[in-house]
């Protein structure tokens, strides 16, 4: 199993506020709709439902992430329709009463010999997801 982590992103919201938004992922869809057209275009085709996120990409097609774990400090989503076993993890760390650090990670089961070929794309994907979560919580 390989793990790819995003850079830490700081959001000016309390951790409990962000954690509460993860109790119903469809709330992110409303935030997505209020983004500028340029930012929305960068996000691509993403759909948020109560317990899942569906992403349509040119590289791998449609992948859904279904929530399998929710705690105040961590949300884990398992990929459905992925060519390999894959988990998307969001870690929330309160820095103070009004600021939270978000780090996203992808755990993926890929053979060691393929990691050099796919590693860059996986790192880019996890960084983009981390930035998206930060923007949706800003």
């Amino acid at each position: 199993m390989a793990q790819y982590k995003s850079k830490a992103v700081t959001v000016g919201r309390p951790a409990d506020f962000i954690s509460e938004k993860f109790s119903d992922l469809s709330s992110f869809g409303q935030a997505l709709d209020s983004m500028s057209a340029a930012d929305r275009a960068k996000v691509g085709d993403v759909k948020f439902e109560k317990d899942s996120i569906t992403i349509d990409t040119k590289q791998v097609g449609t992948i859904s992430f279904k929530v399998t774990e929710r705690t105040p400090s961590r949300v884990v989503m398992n990929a459905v329709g992925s060519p390999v076993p894959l988990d998307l993890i969001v870690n929330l760390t309160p820095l103070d009463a009004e600021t939270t650090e978000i780090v996203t990670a992808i755990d993926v089961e890929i053979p060691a010999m393929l990691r050099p070929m796919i590693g860059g794309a996986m790192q880019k994907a996890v960084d983009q997801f981390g930035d998206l979560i930060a923007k949706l919580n800003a």
Side-chain angles (χ1 to χ4, degrees):
M1 173 122 0
Q3 184 176 75
Y4 299 90
K5 285 187 176 183
S6 71
K7 62 186 182 301
V9 180
T10 303
V11 177
R13 299 277 188 175
D16 59 344
F17 172 85
I18 296 172
S19 178
E20 179 62 30
K21 287 186 85 172
F22 278 97
S23 67
D24 181 354
L25 299 177
S26 64
S27 67
F28 289 116
Q30 297 162 0
L32 191 66
D33 292 341
S34 66
M35 292 173 82
S36 71
D39 282 342
R40 181 66 179 97
K42 289 178 191 174
V43 171
D45 190 9
V46 179
K47 186 169 98 174
F48 293 95
E49 295 176 323
K50 182 176 180 0
D51 292 316
S52 67
I53 300 171
T54 302
I55 302 170
D56 192 15
T57 67
K58 294 175 192 164
Q59 297 84 356
V60 291
T62 301
I63 297 178
S64 293
F65 293 93
K66 182 151 178 59
V67 174
T68 57
E69 176 187 335
R70 274 190 185 106
T71 68
S73 62
R74 178 178 158 105
V75 177
V76 178
M77 294 172 265
N78 183 265
V80 178
S82 170
V84 295
L86 186 142
D87 289 330
L88 185 58
I89 303 154
V90 180
N91 294 296
L92 307 172
T93 306
L95 298 177
D96 58 40
E98 295 298 319
T99 310
T100 304
E101 180 182 80
I102 300 173
V103 176
T104 57
I106 292 176
D107 283 346
V108 60
E109 223 171 279
I110 53 175
M113 62 188 227
L114 292 180
R115 289 181 193 160
M117 291 182 273
I118 337 178
M122 297 304 289
Q123 187 62 52
K124 182 179 176 183
V126 77
D127 285 338
Q128 287 176 330
F129 187 74
D131 289 341
L132 174 63
I133 294 298
K135 284 179 184 175
L136 294 176
N137 282 291

